Amino acid sequence: MSESSGLFQLPEEHVALREAIRALAEKQIAPHAADVDEQERWPAEAHEALVRNGFHAIHIPEQYGGQGADAVAACIVIEEVARACASSSLIPAVNKLGTVPLLLAASEELKQLVLPSIAAGTDGISYALSEREAGSDTASMRTRAVLDGDHWVLNGTKCWITNAGESTWYTVMAVTDPTAARKSEGISAFVVHANDPGFIVGPKERKMGIKGSPTREISFENCAIPVSRIIGEPGTGLRTALRTLDHTRPTIGAQAIGIAQGALDATLAYIKERRQFGRTIADFQGVQFMVADMAMKVEAARNLVYIAAAAAERGDKNSGFLASSAKCLASDVAMEVTTDAVQLFGGAGYTRDFPVERMMRDAKITQIYEGTNQIQRIVMARSLLRG
């Protein structure tokens, strides 16, 4: 019995990590979440707290000044921050998204240039793949990069770039060989700095949720970057981007679970206080069934997220399927749970005096970014049919 007691149980260090990040989030992030949403402002308090405590990018390896935390630990951080404020959870989530291509494929010189400042918290990094006409169809992107002596010159526009304007570095996918037999083989990955000439940041998008995390277009107008800033070999960019998503889709699942858990916790507190017909509404079986279903779905999705994160960490051949499954299930659960939370709050849930309407709005994007849930189902089906 003792030999199997650790099965399907987080190690003690992960449990301790959750306790630490939850305490920080409740004390230093949650109190500002409503104002961040209302004012649509950068969550400066959360950023400062995360950096000060080393939770802004814990996945970066120790040789670059990071903590070298594993993928499950990174998910726990994102989940616990999202439980308090979804916008703030995009600080560690996008730092991971932007750096994974470097960790997977960049030269040692490029890693040393970019990663230490992100590990230190002095810089952030964003990820630029999507375009207005190339969202799910990423291979149809139009942004170009042309080799000119010892520089690559970029032209084009990327959209839906999370934390654009706040980040210093940007991982960018661009077409380097428009004549490639397969469009996907003509795309390369680069790192662009906010101070590079010809790099332009557009105005903020006016969004439904995650309003504290700015989303902008970024443009390149003859933006010249050193030849050393290419990630991997020319033509391998889209392959690197897709490998990246195996590592980062579970983090979106973690964000979704955090939002759902925050909504569930708020709901449980509310229904034990709210009285109707002479008793608390928690005493009614119909309400009990709803919260039971909410908690059951959250727990199931959380376990799949951790399994997917661990699979990506160890290079499991099934990691692509698991990553899409985790992201898809967790985000669908987050939308269901937050919608039910608003319902259980009744009229109060529809007001901005309570957090669940914000959580419902924030949850929606998790079904869309890093691949819509329709795309996730395509990825899963292809994996299954390949056998």
Side-chain angles (χ1 to χ4, degrees):
M1 184 68 179
S2 59
E3 291 181 4
S4 62
S5 60
L7 289 175
F8 294 99
Q9 182 178 343
L10 287 176
E12 288 182 10
E13 59 266 29
H14 287 75
V15 175
L17 172 66
R18 184 189 299 283
E19 292 172 353
I21 186 66
R22 178 168 292 195
L24 179 143
E26 289 185 345
K27 185 176 181 181
Q28 301 182 53
I29 297 176
H32 306 286
D35 185 68
V36 163
D37 177 72
E38 193 79 23
Q39 303 300 323
E40 302 190 22
R41 66 172 180 83
W42 174 248
E45 301 89 351
H47 182 262
E48 181 185 346
L50 290 168
V51 170
R52 186 171 60 247
N53 291 276
F55 291 133
H56 62 290
I58 66 168
H59 68 285
I60 294 178
E62 293 178 0
Q63 62 261 43
Y64 308 111
Q67 297 182 50
D70 62 51
V72 175
C75 281
I76 289 171
V77 169
I78 293 163
E79 176 189 344
E80 289 298 328
V81 177
R83 178 176 171 267
C85 174
S87 293
S88 299
S89 71
L90 285 164
I91 295 168
V94 177
N95 276 336
K96 179 161 184 176
L97 176 62
T99 54
V100 167
L102 288 153
L103 293 168
L104 289 175
S107 67
E108 188 59 30
E109 175 192 3
L110 190 54
K111 289 177 183 176
Q112 292 288 355
L113 174 69
V114 178
L115 296 177
S117 64
I118 296 168
T122 52
D123 292 339
I125 188 167
S126 291
Y127 182 82
L129 175 62
S130 295
E131 300 180 7
R132 295 285 175 185
E133 301 302 321
S136 297
D137 182 14
T138 52
S140 293
M141 68 179 65
R142 297 175 183 174
T143 297
R144 292 283 304 275
V146 177
L147 187 60
D148 182 12
D150 59 356
H151 284 77
W152 288 96
V153 180
L154 278 69
N155 282 280
T157 300
K158 295 292 182 177
C159 68
W160 317 123
I161 308 307
T162 305
N163 291 351
E166 294 292 339
S167 292
T168 307
W169 293 101
Y170 296 81
T171 298
V172 179
M173 307 295 160
V175 176
T176 49
D177 182 6
T179 64
R182 299 176 63 183
K183 288 190 292 185
S184 61
E185 295 173 353
I187 294 168
S188 303
F190 303 88
V191 181
V192 177
H193 192 277
N195 291 335
D196 288 331
F199 175 78
I200 300 164
V201 176
K204 284 202 302 184
E205 300 285 355
R206 299 168 64 241
K207 298 182 301 184
M208 173 183 179
I210 56 166
K211 294 181 178 182
S213 171
T215 302
R216 294 181 167 100
E217 283 190 342
I218 58 173
S219 297
F220 312 94
E221 294 183 2
N222 293 320
C223 179
I225 63 172
V227 69
S228 60
R229 295 248 213 97
I230 190 169
I231 299 174
E233 295 297 317
T236 63
L238 196 58
R239 198 179 318 151
T240 298
L242 296 177
R243 286 175 62 204
T244 295
L245 295 175
D246 288 351
H247 292 266
T248 58
R249 280 173 173 158
T251 68
I252 300 304
Q255 182 191 43
I257 290 307
I259 296 169
Q261 187 67 57
L264 175 59
D265 291 346
T267 301
L268 291 170
Y270 183 80
I271 64 172
K272 288 189 281 189
E273 294 294 327
R274 171 71 168 160
R275 299 183 67 84
Q276 290 288 281
F277 304 102
R279 49 182 175 159
T280 66
I281 62 173
D283 289 331
F284 294 100
Q285 191 178 62
V287 170
Q288 292 173 1
F289 282 2
M290 286 181 71
V291 294
D293 282 345
M294 292 160 73
M296 174 178 65
K297 291 171 184 175
V298 169
E299 197 60 38
R302 176 181 289 114
N303 279 276
L304 183 54
V305 166
Y306 294 173
I307 288 168
E313 179 89 9
R314 64 174 180 266
D316 191 306
K317 62 182 176 62
N318 203 32
S319 61
F321 173 85
L322 289 169
S324 287
S325 299
K327 189 269 186 190
C328 188
L329 178 65
S331 58
D332 282 350
V333 164
M335 200 67 239
E336 287 181 47
V337 167
T338 55
T339 301
D340 283 348
V342 171
Q343 187 71 23
L344 287 167
F345 268 74
Y350 203 69
T351 71
R352 295 202 298 269
D353 297 326
F354 294 89
V356 289
E357 65 83 30
R358 181 185 81 240
M359 293 167 173
M360 182 179 174
R361 289 185 285 105
D362 290 342
K364 184 60 203 175
I365 191 61
T366 65
Q367 294 180 306
I368 298 171
Y369 58 15
E370 287 207 34
T372 66
N373 283 3
Q374 288 73 24
I375 289 293
Q376 306 307 327
R377 289 174 167 89
I378 290 172
V379 171
M380 287 186 273
R382 285 177 178 170
S383 177
L384 290 168
L385 294 169
R386 279 197 305 267

